[in-house]
Amino acid sequence: MSALLEVRDLVKTHRVAAGTVHAVSGVSLRLDAAETLALVGESGCGKSTVGRAILQLPPPDSGRVAFDGTELTTLSRRRMRALRPGLQMVLQDPRAALHPRRRVRGIVAEGLVNARRPKGETAATVDAVLTAVGLDPAQVADRRPEEFSGGQCQRIAIARALAVQPRLLVCDEPVASLDVSVQAQVINLLADLRAERGLAMLFISHDLAVVRTIADRVAVMYLGRVVETGPVAEVYARPRHPYTRALLDSSPVPDPDAPPLGPALSGEVPSPLDPPSGCRFRTRCPLAEARCAAEVPALAEVGAGHRSACHFAADL
Amino acid sequence: MTAATRRGGDAATDLATPVLEVVDLGCAFPSARGPVRALSGVSLRVPRGRVLGIVGESGSGKSTLARAVVGATPATAELTGGIRVGGADLAELPPARRRELRGRRIGMVFQDPMMALNPVVPVGRQVAEAARHHLGLSRRDATERAVSLLEQVGVPAARSRLRSYPHQFSGGLRQRVTIAMALSCDPDLLIADEATTALDVTVQRQILDLLAALVAERSMSMVLISHDLGVVAGRTDEVAVMYGGRVVEHGPTREVFHRPRHRYTRALLDSVPRLDRVPDRLSAIPGQPPDPAALPPGCAFGPRCPATAEDCRSAPPRMVAVDGHRAACLHPPEEP
């Protein structure tokens, strides 16, 4: 079966005054229809850049992005525009993503108008997607984003993405700015929509517990590269990369009797302006040896669908 | 210099006196829509050497509480009730003495280190400043003290970085610098208000470990404020849960997490995604946290509560003792 989304050797750099930021340095991913792949990592690991490069916003420096068999990186602007309804995005801060002075109806209809859908269809679609995200169209459609809470704004942003019937939803930290009690509502909503509509999701998050709840597979990123990937239950139960293990050990568990955490990592993420040679994690890795500075570890199979980029994956 | 001389040798060094006691604290802000009640009837005490966690969502009043304690609420805030620091009632002290007491006894760490740091002053001078002001140290002694504090909070090569500016530090190191500043007068109490929220998880872990080590080494007390139940769970002796400007549950951390006696605490614990337990579906709490400008007359959680009844709607329930802790819930959840 061919994948809905296939990303190969994605590279993205940014030129800044101080040099070149190596944001993404050779990332490959695969996502099937109706599947949820989580991209996790700490700030600066390149996870958001990957999400945007997939949507060609902006396009990557090199590498390939195939969506449903169509190569996006070489597509003309006009043809990309025609494909856009198929790939939609939900961002972290719903208030920033929604125009404060426009009415909800206009915001949700925006994609439909851009896609030149018939006018008569638009009103019915807006009502249907607002209902699907748990809002009452009669009550909300004529109001403006500023009248709503963060959780409700995120529902509106999700409705806007759904209106054009996407097949892939790229969600970049969609619950990170929401209150704990509201987070679960939005996570459940995304899970329901996925089940009902067969949506594929690329779920970008720093929160490993949220990812555990929603994703089928996970790819862990560090400084522009994927260091481990596999089924989420398997990766969490048997991490085969020291960075994944450290992330899991650092994630707080809401239980006073939780077993003691493993050792903390030392230091912080090095600058992506000048990433370490070889394995980029080696400067903080408790297992690092001379070989790690010389050779970039390949993302190699360590179990069924489970791959790790560590020279010592076999010993973990 | 002994601890007693450092603290001025007053009666407040008595070990039985709580380092902080808040009694029936209220805080309201005037607004066009009428008073915004940020805090109502908050009573808490922090015994010497103990760590109190405060959990709550946005608008729950947890940050207003911290700011009221250190005297950092905006001038328009109308405060009622009492705050005692080391047994001394702040309201009874002249302003200069009140400032000195707060400045020397309480250190505070905020979410965003850049809010606490001056971007155009070298970090060494910023760490030394409070010691010069409150402890009257010479410039040279204060600088030595700054080096020692920066080393204690894990800033590598501290002496050579005294002249560095905050922007030359990473987020985690900046937070270490603000912790050094908070410690500069050897406070009895450290208040950490979402101090690790803006940090990556591996760095959050380092800072939480550092705070725990400092509390133990210095026999300090700490108030650890967080929206994250996971941050508070393993690192506090007691926890207070806030909602709608009130403390709705308070007790030993294990008691509150394992036997919550307030419907909100129960619902919050059930709604949090966790690594160690994966339900088919999270049990979400309907609705959203209350608007502090439009609190209902009864229990603030009532409109979202599965067990709300007529008696919940008339007045906010009082805190009553149940199973070794206190909760303000008329229809508490069943034992799990």
Side-chain angles (χ1 to χ4, degrees):
Chain A
M1 194 178 114
S2 73
L4 177 68
L5 177 74
E6 185 132 31
V7 176
R8 283 263 185 86
D9 298 325
L10 199 73
V11 174
K12 182 75 196 171
T13 56
H14 308 295
R15 288 219 162 268
V16 294
T20 304
V21 175
H22 298 269
V24 178
S25 307
V27 163
S28 299
L29 301 167
R30 177 197 159 97
L31 183 58
D32 288 328
E35 189 186 34
T36 299
L37 170 67
L39 216 47
V40 303
E42 297 178 282
S43 48
C45 72
K47 56 192 192 297
S48 294
T49 308
V50 169
R52 287 201 297 269
I54 287 169
L55 299 176
Q56 311 297 305
L57 295 170
D61 297 352
S62 66
R64 294 203 314 234
V65 179
F67 177 69
D68 202 15
T70 308
E71 177 56 40
L72 301 185
T73 51
T74 53
L75 224 51
S76 69
R77 289 176 75 107
R78 201 173 57 83
R79 288 203 53 213
M80 185 63 217
R81 202 179 163 93
L83 267 181
R84 286 225 180 267
L87 310 91
Q88 290 292 304
M89 194 159 193
V90 175
L91 299 167
Q92 172 172 352
D93 183 353
R95 287 176 196 280
L98 304 177
H99 195 296
R101 302 299 304 154
R102 291 189 67 185
R103 293 180 200 280
V104 170
R105 184 186 305 285
I107 290 170
V108 175
E110 197 174 1
L112 296 165
V113 174
N114 288 343
R116 309 230 160 81
R117 299 281 167 83
K119 275 231 174 69
E121 198 183 288
T122 307
T125 307
V126 168
D127 283 5
V129 290
L130 283 173
T131 307
V133 298
L135 297 172
D136 178 356
Q139 277 192 25
V140 306
D142 290 316
R143 291 162 67 190
R144 301 178 213 270
E146 60 191 9
E147 298 174 59
F148 297 98
S149 67
Q152 286 170 316
C153 284
Q154 198 58 294
R155 288 176 191 269
I156 294 166
I158 293 169
R160 172 175 62 181
L162 291 179
V164 288
Q165 292 180 300
R167 299 182 59 199
L168 170 67
L169 204 55
V170 175
C171 301
D172 192 354
E173 299 277 12
V175 299
S177 65
L178 304 179
D179 267 316
V180 181
S181 72
V182 179
Q183 257 192 16
Q185 296 173 12
V186 174
I187 293 170
N188 284 343
L189 170 65
L190 289 170
D192 290 347
L193 292 171
R194 179 181 96 147
E196 287 159 17
R197 294 168 181 247
L199 268 176
M201 260 197 287
L202 184 67
F203 192 92
I204 300 167
S205 177
H206 72 287
D207 187 327
L208 274 77
V210 167
V211 162
R212 180 72 184 89
T213 311
I214 197 152
D216 303 308
R217 286 191 304 122
V218 60
V220 181
M221 287 187 69
Y222 187 81
L223 261 185
R225 293 197 184 127
V226 172
V227 297
E228 182 164 11
T229 177
V232 65
E234 165 70 14
V235 170
Y236 281 28
R238 278 169 291 278
R240 300 292 292 276
H241 193 286
Y243 179 61
T244 312
R245 179 169 288 181
L247 270 185
L248 288 164
D249 279 343
S250 298
S251 300
V253 175
D255 180 354
D257 293 336
L261 304 164
L265 273 187
S266 59
E268 292 179 51
V269 183
S271 166
L273 279 167
D274 183 22
S277 66
C279 173
R280 290 185 175 179
F281 182 58
R282 70 180 164 83
T283 55
R284 302 173 75 195
C285 182
L287 307 176
E289 289 181 12
R291 181 185 176 196
C292 303
E295 279 174 58
V296 178
L299 196 58
E301 193 96 9
V302 291
H306 187 175
R307 292 184 300 156
S308 162
C310 177
H311 293 308
F312 307 108
D315 309 333
L316 286 165
Chain B
M1 195 163 58
T2 67
T5 56
R6 212 165 45 219
R7 287 171 186 133
D10 54 65
T13 46
D14 176 7
L15 291 178
T17 312
V19 286
L20 175 69
E21 202 169 0
V22 169
V23 184
D24 200 24
L25 190 70
C27 179
F29 297 94
S31 85
R33 294 186 293 160
V36 177
R37 298 213 57 84
L39 290 175
S40 306
V42 172
S43 296
L44 289 169
R45 62 203 325 254
V46 186
R48 194 164 293 276
R50 307 280 282 180
V51 179
L52 170 69
I54 298 182
V55 290
E57 300 177 276
S58 49
S60 65
K62 57 191 194 306
S63 289
T64 307
L65 172 59
R67 280 161 194 275
V69 168
V70 296
T73 45
T76 56
E78 289 156 16
L79 289 164
T80 55
I83 300 170
R84 291 171 167 274
V85 175
D89 189 338
L90 292 183
E92 289 173 3
L93 298 175
R97 179 84 185 93
R98 196 187 303 159
R99 260 200 312 279
E100 189 201 330
L101 194 68
R102 278 171 163 151
R104 290 185 57 170
R105 295 285 177 77
I106 305 175
M108 181 136 180
V109 184
F110 296 91
Q111 172 169 346
D112 179 0
M114 285 314 274
M115 294 276 285
L117 293 168
N118 186 332
V120 296
V121 174
V123 298
R125 186 131 53 94
Q126 298 193 54
V127 176
E129 187 177 81
R132 263 169 74 76
H133 178 78
H134 285 295
L135 306 181
L137 297 187
S138 68
R139 177 164 302 189
R140 178 187 298 235
D141 288 350
T143 303
E144 284 311 305
R145 195 178 168 78
V147 172
S148 150
L149 285 165
L150 288 169
E151 281 169 352
Q152 285 175 52
V153 299
V155 172
R159 190 175 296 274
S160 68
R161 303 189 77 162
L162 288 175
R163 288 169 185 278
S164 300
Y165 290 89
H167 76 267
Q168 295 170 298
F169 287 72
S170 66
L173 278 180
R174 274 182 212 149
Q175 199 58 297
R176 288 177 194 265
V177 171
T178 67
I179 293 169
M181 285 165 64
L183 295 176
S184 62
C185 294
D186 283 328
D188 298 326
L189 174 67
L190 193 64
I191 300 179
D193 184 7
E194 300 277 10
T196 62
T197 304
L199 304 174
D200 280 318
V201 282
T202 58
V203 180
Q204 162 167 283
R205 166 78 193 283
Q206 295 168 4
I207 299 293
L208 290 171
D209 286 352
L210 170 67
L211 291 173
L214 290 168
V215 164
E217 280 163 22
R218 298 168 157 254
S219 315
M220 271 192 309
S221 308
M222 180 162 73
V223 175
L224 187 63
I225 301 175
S226 181
H227 71 285
D228 188 334
L229 291 165
V231 163
V232 164
R235 302 190 180 262
T236 56
D237 302 306
E238 288 177 29
V239 62
V241 181
M242 292 192 68
Y243 193 81
R246 290 175 187 272
V247 173
V248 296
E249 182 156 14
H250 177 208
T253 304
R254 296 189 66 230
E255 281 293 317
V256 172
F257 275 78
H258 291 319
R259 273 174 293 280
R261 305 307 289 154
H262 195 287
R263 289 277 175 181
Y264 171 62
T265 314
R266 172 83 270 160
L268 193 62
L269 283 165
D270 289 343
S271 71
V272 182
R274 36 197 298 177
L275 284 174
D276 56 342
R277 211 187 286 161
V278 188
D280 287 341
R281 190 176 175 77
L282 293 172
S283 40
I285 307 177
Q288 57 239 350
D291 177 356
L295 291 170
C299 173
F301 186 58
R304 308 173 74 187
C305 180
T308 192
E310 203 48 49
D311 52 350
C312 304
R313 294 190 190 107
S314 50
R318 294 182 160 280
M319 288 284 272
V320 292
V322 271
D323 307 342
H325 67 281
R326 300 184 303 138
C329 187
L330 298 175
H331 306 279
E334 300 297 313
E335 295 268 339

